Amino acid sequence: EHAHRIGLLREQPERLRQGGKLGIVPFSAGEGISASDEADRLALMIVKGIADTLPEFKSRLTVVFDEQAAEADLAIRGHIIRQKRSRVLRHWLWRENQKSLAVECRMLDVKTQEPVLSFTLSLASVDPDKKFEDLAYAVGQEIARHVLDQVRELSRPQR
């Protein structure tokens, strides 16, 4: 698997440094991606990847769900912007070569609706056993790691 983060924009680093309760809004199908049951499953797997990964690391962010979601200080929202399957001709047969999934992601301050962090992330895999649901879960994990990296970087004492 290869992950690429593109276009990181820390719009409110101080707000990110403060941390708080984080709600995760299921990702929606972006432009060029048809809304479907598959897109809904991918969106839920992205949320699951984020939710399973964030608590593994000590940070100032606490994931909240369901009834507690109304108490969220920050929210992660996003769109699936690419779901692609590439094929190549090998030994006179078409074979699947690579699957890729890309998302646009934004973290918002819930009170002000101002963006705190935004980026695009894509993940690709050449493993023929990987399903798009597996890639979506891995995208969620990468989003969580990326957010945590930003929190850690901003929490370091400045020299």
Side-chain angles (χ1 to χ4, degrees), residues 139-153:
V139 163
Q141 291 177 310
E142 283 296 317
I143 290 169
R145 288 186 194 110
H146 185 59
V147 167
L148 290 168
D149 286 347
Q150 296 307 305
V151 170
R152 273 192 226 116
E153 186 176 314

Side-chain angles (χ1 to χ4, degrees), residues 3 7 24 62 67 71 80 94 111 120 133 141 149 152:
I24 307 168
T62 305
E67 303 85 38
E71 301 171 16
I80 300 169
W94 283 105
K111 282 185 186 161
T120 302
E133 287 84 359
Q141 291 177 310
D149 286 347
R152 273 192 226 116

Side-chain angles (χ1 to χ4, degrees), residues 5-152:
R5 291 180 206 112
I6 306 161
L8 167 69
L9 185 56
R10 281 190 292 222
E11 300 175 69
Q12 292 187 46
E14 186 54 42
R15 182 63 194 93
L16 186 59
R17 191 178 297 123
Q18 292 170 9
K21 294 179 181 177
L22 177 66
I24 307 168
V25 179
F27 283 39
S28 59
E31 191 175 319
I33 302 292
S34 57
S36 64
D37 288 344
E38 182 182 28
D40 291 345
R41 280 193 309 278
L42 297 179
L44 291 175
M45 290 306 291
I46 291 169
V47 170
K48 183 170 173 31
I50 296 169
D52 287 352
T53 305
L54 275 176
E56 292 177 10
F57 301 91
K58 186 177 178 182
S59 81
R60 295 179 182 173
L61 296 173
T62 305
V63 179
V64 292
F65 296 103
D66 303 325
E67 303 85 38
Q68 297 176 331
E71 301 171 16
D73 304 304
L74 299 165
I76 290 182
R77 292 188 174 136
H79 301 285
I80 300 169
I81 58 171
R82 187 178 71 236
Q83 177 185 357
K84 187 175 177 184
R85 184 184 324 253
S86 303
R87 296 175 8 138
V88 294
L89 187 62
R90 283 197 190 139
H91 306 291
W92 303 105
L93 295 172
W94 283 105
R95 306 241 172 153
E96 191 171 278
N97 186 37
Q98 178 176 313
K99 292 181 185 92
S100 64
L101 193 63
V103 296
E104 288 178 339
C105 186
R106 293 186 103 178
M107 180 185 286
L108 303 171
D109 182 305
V110 172
K111 282 185 186 161
T112 65
Q113 290 298 301
E114 293 289 321
V116 175
L117 180 70
S118 57
F119 57 92
T120 302
L121 185 135
S122 73
L123 194 65
S125 176
V126 293
D127 183 345
D129 296 329
K130 284 258 187 212
K131 297 178 182 155
F132 275 111
E133 287 84 359
D134 300 325
L135 262 185
Y137 184 81
V139 163
Q141 291 177 310
E142 283 296 317
I143 290 169
R145 288 186 194 110
H146 185 59
V147 167
L148 290 168
D149 286 347
Q150 296 307 305
V151 170
R152 273 192 226 116

